[in-house]
Amino acid sequence: MKQYKLLVLPGDGIGPEIIDEGLKLIQQIEKSEQISFVITKELVGGSAIDEYGEAIKDETIAIAKQSDAVLWGAVGGPKWDNPSASVRPEQGLLKIRSELNLWANLRPVKIWGELINSSSIKKEKLMNVDILVIRELISGAYFGKPQERRIHNGKREAVDTIYYNEDQIANIAHLGFKLARKRKGKLHSVDKANVLESSRLWREVVHEIQQQYIDVDFQDILVDAATMHLIRQPSDFDVMIASNLFGDIITDEASMLSGSLGMLPSASLSDISESGIGVGLYEPIHGSAPDIAGQGIANPIAMFLCIAMLFRYSLNLENIAIKIESSVAKVIEAGLRTQDIAEDSKDAVSTKQMANAIIEQYTMI
Ligand code: NAD
């Protein structure tokens, strides 16, 4: 029987609630398939700050490096929100991304036909929307140095730096073109080349790489135009590649097409080859949702779809990924809705009811 090492980092707020349901799915998969997991659970984010005084321990990073995959809930919350605090929950996430060299963040945005009414966008605009945003994750504005506050002529000032080198851009471009080939064959590269030098290098390198993928329908798009177009005609997009900052913003915007953050998974990957993808970190794109934490009403679907991505990319078990995604689809088709996607909140089911229904469906496929 094949055995995998999984590090589970529930975090704060609804993180532990959705992770608990995800682990039940994994237990079911262990029963149904010929595989097993050695699972290690650790604190991260606010709960780690409370316990250890830091958002992630070095020991946790060391365990992550030895694992096949990492499953992340969410971190943060009002308790740790003081912007001038020296330790913040998000530092844990930035540190693990950087330490594991997770340079590619894949965020699929798919509109489930039955949920089309949950979106604030007109129904007809949402037909056939199926987008994959690939965001560069460990460089750009979030990591460039200097990144500091200082005093100049007696006034406070702050500086962030957008740094990219050609290898970082080339990696994202190759991944974007390769994944576009496996999908509808279309790629948009998002930048701000009319203003930013880092974007001009981005565009130059992407064009050089494009020569190897002339079969892919390719287009540059300025980030401001991309944000408009995502709302005006989202079905025009297939794969989008973007820098860390632009990718962060456009993926949250794209997530609203689907109606709820609670439906969208993401995978952060380090090593990408034809035979599969090395250690990966899988996390829903939503945060810790402090407004609903502890109420048992969070949507667990983003977490379940993260687990599907984990099987697809880190474990190279596509058949299990498809089974999980089909189970989610069947339950949505059957009309089950958590509060965030319910048309009438009195019909909404709890986190556990939704999770149990998906797991039961898994056993029937
Ligand atoms: P959020 O994603 O936590 O919540 C935004 C809205 O979406 C809230 O109304 C929330 O109830 C709803 N929502 C989110 N996930 C849901 C789910 N699974 N089911 C139902 N409804 C859901 O964003 P926020 O409120 O801006 O941030 C809260 C905290 O999370 C902050 O501290 C932020 O820094 C942190 N955060 C963490 C991560 C991460 O760990 N990767 C990502 C984003 C935000």
Side-chain angles (χ1 to χ4, degrees), residues 14 72 74-77 81 90 93 261-262 283 285-292 298-299 340:
I14 62 168
W72 180 280
V75 295
D81 247 359
E90 295 75 16
L93 189 52
L261 286 172
E283 55 171 324
I285 82 155
H286 61 72
S288 59
D291 53 335
I292 58 164
N299 188 343
D340 54 313

Side-chain angles (χ1 to χ4, degrees), residues 151-265:
I151 303 288
H152 183 64
N153 290 339
K155 299 274 185 198
R156 284 170 298 166
E157 60 178 30
V159 58
D160 293 291
T161 303
I162 303 178
Y163 170 89
Y164 275 109
N165 66 42
E166 58 181 300
D167 292 344
Q168 295 167 329
I169 302 166
N171 281 341
I172 290 288
H174 277 296
L175 181 62
F177 282 111
K178 280 183 187 156
L179 291 181
R181 271 184 177 162
K182 291 188 178 169
R183 293 169 47 99
K184 290 184 231 153
K186 206 169 172 185
L187 180 77
H188 282 86
S189 173
V190 179
D191 64 35
K192 187 71 184 163
N194 53 344
V195 177
L196 299 174
E197 199 52 48
S198 54
S199 277
R200 283 193 277 274
L201 177 65
W202 179 280
R203 193 173 276 210
E204 197 174 299
V205 174
V206 172
H207 283 209
E208 287 161 13
I209 305 290
Q210 189 220 347
Q211 301 308 313
Q212 299 170 43
Y213 303 90
I214 46 171
D215 51 311
V216 174
D217 177 3
F218 169 74
Q219 216 180 310
D220 300 301
I221 188 163
L222 293 172
V223 64
D224 32 2
T227 53
M228 284 193 297
H229 208 79
L230 259 175
I231 300 296
R232 199 175 48 209
Q233 206 57 52
S235 58
D236 278 356
F237 292 103
D238 176 18
V239 178
M240 302 173 84
I241 53 172
S243 63
N244 206 340
L245 176 61
F246 297 158
D248 194 3
I249 296 167
I250 60 175
T251 46
D252 265 28
E253 184 194 10
S255 74
M256 286 324 292
L257 300 170
S258 83
S260 173
L261 286 172
M263 299 291 298
L264 297 174

Side-chain angles (χ1 to χ4, degrees), residues 97 103-105 107 133-137 142 242-244 247-248:
R97 284 174 180 169
W103 54 268
N105 183 232
R107 296 185 170 196
V133 184
I134 305 173
R135 166 188 169 195
E136 194 291 323
L137 203 58
Y142 294 4
S243 63
N244 206 340
D248 194 3

Side-chain angles (χ1 to χ4, degrees), residues 7 12 28 68 70 72 105 124 130 132 167 192 200 202 243 261 288 302 321 323 345-346 354 362:
L7 174 62
D12 311 311
Q28 181 56 53
D68 292 296
V70 179
W72 180 280
N105 183 232
E124 57 274 23
D130 184 357
L132 176 66
D167 292 344
K192 187 71 184 163
R200 283 193 277 274
W202 179 280
S243 63
L261 286 172
S288 59
K323 260 175 91 171
S345 64
K346 73 174 176 3
M354 176 62 94
Y362 185 91

